[in-house]
Amino acid sequence: MAVLKKSTLIFVIVTVLLLTTIFSNYILDGYYHTGSLRGGHKEIDDWNSDSELCFIIRIAEKDISRLFTLFFSILHVNQEENVRIMVIQAYNPSEVKQKRISLLQHIVKTTNIVINREAVTILDIDGSYTSKMYPELKNASRAGDAGYVITDLTIENIIAHRKEVGNSYCPLIAVSNGDNMYSHNFIPATITAINNGYDIVATHFVSRYNWFKDPIQHQHSGPFRHGKDTEIRTKFYPGFIDLGCVVFKINLLETSGYRFVIDSIRKNINKLRDIDFPREYYGLDFNLADGILFRKLAHMKDVDSKVINRALYIHQ
């Protein structure tokens, strides 16, 4: 009887440990969502994409030491040549100490050695391009526009290169900041949705920032959490989506001409004289530029959008 009780106890302990491990994996993989356990995500096993996904990673100086975390969260299960990372500097490199620039170059080189291919490149996009194009905008700076001018210039660089080398180059785009990280299921889940016919796909996410708590916004969001380090349920609506949680087809930008901010600058150039660009002009909030663009893209004619009901991205 004593032996039986001991065996039973061992069985119970092993069962509990096994169930705990399974449950933990569901949580880490983004299956646990708003109090319910959602299993059977067939798309994780079905992902097989020949389409190249290009991440545009915008970094500030403070992000450089964090980049290993971001790079390997993207690349550690996506080592095939269909995922690439393009790093753009959202600050003026001349104002950054050379040792920090050297560290950035070292991190990129080391990442490529580990991945065994040139998965990460640093793009040299000249942020002063805006001032050259529009001399009226004497106060243009990367910091003032939250990095969106340099982001748009990078996108236009990619579009121009596609015209030279063909549409197989960067047909899918994701834009993120250097202080973010991803679940290993983010790319399989979003790419699978695109392969199933969607043009722009997002996931829920976790943010370290205090998020909005506004009755008007609740009308758009439905059940909505707020505060730090909590899951944010994404909507294609300004204030309810984050830059890094979206993957979309670049042809949406090619056919529409939409950009984060450059398209608005071009249309309103005559209104932009004698103001402090780009912190404020005709009421545009640069903190919402991502949501404004994604809403436009999701509402284009014949465009199918999808929000995956899982938190697969962390806004650190």
Side-chain angles (χ1 to χ4, degrees), residues 40-70:
H41 287 278
K42 188 171 181 288
E43 68 266 19
I44 297 305
D45 297 323
D46 285 350
W47 177 57
N48 182 11
S49 176
D50 295 326
S51 296
E52 186 176 55
L53 170 60
C54 294
F55 275 82
I56 300 173
I57 304 297
R58 304 139 30 105
I59 66 169
E61 182 181 5
K62 62 181 176 59
D63 300 327
I64 292 177
S65 59
R66 307 172 181 173
L67 288 177
F68 274 132
T69 301
L70 172 60

Side-chain angles (χ1 to χ4, degrees), residues 7-257:
S7 300
T8 303
L9 179 60
I10 293 174
F11 174 77
V12 170
I13 292 173
V14 171
T15 302
V16 170
L17 289 174
L18 179 61
L19 290 175
T20 301
T21 302
I22 294 173
F23 186 70
S24 298
N25 285 333
Y26 270 101
I27 294 176
L28 292 174
D29 287 345
Y31 287 88
Y32 184 68
H33 179 71
T34 60
S36 61
L37 195 62
R38 303 177 184 274
H41 287 278
K42 188 171 181 288
E43 68 266 19
I44 297 305
D45 297 323
D46 285 350
W47 177 57
N48 182 11
S49 176
D50 295 326
S51 296
E52 186 176 55
L53 170 60
C54 294
F55 275 82
I56 300 173
I57 304 297
R58 304 139 30 105
I59 66 169
E61 182 181 5
K62 62 181 176 59
D63 300 327
I64 292 177
S65 59
R66 307 172 181 173
L67 288 177
F68 274 132
T69 301
L70 172 60
F71 289 167
F72 286 107
S73 75
I74 294 172
L75 295 169
H76 76 290
V77 292
N78 300 286
Q79 297 186 20
E80 301 299 325
E81 294 187 3
N82 58 349
V83 178
R84 72 166 71 209
I85 295 174
M86 303 173 177
V87 179
I88 58 175
Q89 301 174 52
Y91 52 83
N92 189 341
S94 65
E95 297 176 359
V96 180
K97 294 181 179 180
Q98 182 57 42
K99 65 179 182 179
R100 300 294 288 174
I101 297 296
S102 298
L103 176 60
L104 170 61
Q105 295 169 341
H106 175 73
I107 290 172
V108 169
K109 181 179 180 179
T110 302
T111 301
N112 289 334
I113 290 173
V114 173
I115 299 299
N116 197 30
R117 68 181 178 91
E118 193 174 348
V120 186
T121 56
I122 303 173
L123 299 187
D124 183 18
I125 306 296
D126 185 2
S128 64
Y129 177 66
T130 307
S131 296
K132 294 174 182 176
M133 286 174 56
Y134 310 113
E136 299 91 344
L137 310 181
K138 297 179 181 179
N139 296 320
S141 68
R142 298 185 182 187
D145 67 351
Y148 283 115
V149 168
I150 199 71
T151 304
D152 279 338
L153 294 176
T154 303
I155 288 171
E156 295 196 340
N157 182 284
I158 292 172
I159 290 174
H161 195 57
R162 280 167 54 83
K163 293 178 181 179
E164 297 176 0
V165 302
N167 292 336
S168 62
Y169 177 75
C170 292
L172 304 177
I173 294 289
V175 184
S176 193
N177 292 324
D179 59 351
N180 299 329
M181 64 182 296
Y182 291 85
S183 161
H184 68 282
N185 283 329
F186 176 84
I187 293 177
T190 54
I191 297 298
T192 297
I194 287 177
N195 287 344
N196 288 335
Y198 292 97
D199 303 291
I200 178 168
V201 180
T203 74
H204 301 317
F205 62 97
V206 175
S207 177
R208 67 181 173 91
Y209 295 102
N210 276 318
W211 217 253
F212 301 102
K213 182 182 181 183
D214 187 303
I216 295 178
Q217 292 172 329
H218 274 278
Q219 296 175 12
H220 300 285
S221 67
F224 188 71
R225 299 180 182 186
H226 63 91
K228 293 182 179 180
D229 300 319
T230 189
E231 182 188 44
I232 307 301
R233 303 190 67 184
T234 295
K235 298 283 185 179
F236 287 106
Y237 190 86
F240 293 94
I241 194 166
D242 191 71
L243 179 66
C245 71
V246 181
V247 174
F248 61 93
K249 296 180 179 178
I250 197 171
N251 66 4
L252 300 182
L253 301 181
E254 291 173 326
T255 58
S256 68

